[in-house]
Amino acid sequence: MAETNAAPAPAAAAAEEEDCSSRKMVVVVGVDDSDHSYSALEWAVRHVAAAADAELVVVHGKPSASSVVTFGSPGAGDVVRFVEADLRKRAEDVVDKARRLCIANSVHGLIEVIEDEPRYVLCNAVEKHGADLLVVGSHGYGAIKRAFLGSVSDYCTHHALCSVMIVKQNKPKK
């Protein structure tokens, strides 16, 4: 009778360990059109991607026009087209700025734009890419503002399947 709880063969265990050690660290960074998110990207590029030779995935969660516009009013179709064009232009600007930052630091990064709520986009990207670290910026909202507006970083710390680094912008010294 064969034993079912046998330990893996030494060669198989060594190959598995080598695969784990040769796998690059995957870092997902959430960006939008705020200075806070670019501080987070800059931090990730300088402290993780360049130093650790990590795989960088830059993700922008683009809101849908329908999440911004109410459809019940007359002329809503025209407004939706205008809002969609504006959101598309903002996404292009975000991607361009992120690409320039990566190039300036000689870091190759995969850049994705996904239409949905940023909090869901980032957590899904972590899962999709098997990320080891999620880096996001912080707007520095207080408890009341955060309760009304929601917090992407707060949501991600509770739902992302990896460690989350929240990068705060340095406040000017008085």
Side-chain angles (χ1 to χ4, degrees), residues 42 47 56 60 142 150:
E42 194 171 82
H47 292 93
L56 184 68
H60 173 62

Side-chain angles (χ1 to χ4, degrees), residues 29-78:
V29 183
V31 294
D32 58 21
D33 59 352
S34 72
D35 290 339
H36 304 280
S37 77
Y38 286 102
S39 291
L41 178 58
E42 194 171 82
W43 185 91
V45 164
R46 292 197 175 138
H47 292 93
V48 180
D53 192 32
E55 190 175 315
L56 184 68
V57 181
V58 181
V59 180
H60 173 62
K62 178 175 125 355
S64 66
S66 63
S67 70
V68 179
V69 178
T70 306
F71 287 103
S73 59
D78 293 334

Side-chain angles (χ1 to χ4, degrees), residues 30-154:
V31 294
D32 58 21
D33 59 352
S34 72
D35 290 339
H36 304 280
S37 77
Y38 286 102
S39 291
L41 178 58
E42 194 171 82
W43 185 91
V45 164
R46 292 197 175 138
H47 292 93
V48 180
D53 192 32
E55 190 175 315
L56 184 68
V57 181
V58 181
V59 180
H60 173 62
K62 178 175 125 355
S64 66
S66 63
S67 70
V68 179
V69 178
T70 306
F71 287 103
S73 59
D78 293 334
V79 173
V80 168
R81 283 190 290 282
F82 176 76
V83 169
E84 181 58 44
D86 183 58
L87 291 171
R88 193 175 317 110
K89 173 69 173 121
R90 282 187 186 191
E92 289 169 4
D93 292 346
V94 167
V95 166
D96 184 51
K97 192 171 179 180
R99 183 175 290 120
R100 282 186 279 128
L101 180 67
C102 290
I103 290 169
N105 288 278
S106 301
V107 171
H108 173 74
L110 171 65
I111 301 175
E112 298 180 339
V113 175
I114 300 167
E115 188 171 299
D116 201 354
E117 285 288 322
R119 64 188 76 206
Y120 306 132
V121 167
L122 294 176
C123 288
N124 290 338
V126 161
E127 199 170 335
K128 172 184 169 186
H129 295 284
D132 300 293
L133 179 65
L134 171 62
V135 180
V136 293
S138 171
H139 288 276
Y141 294 149
I144 294 172
K145 208 172 196 182
R146 196 171 46 246
F148 283 106
L149 298 176
S151 168
V152 172
S153 59
D154 185 59

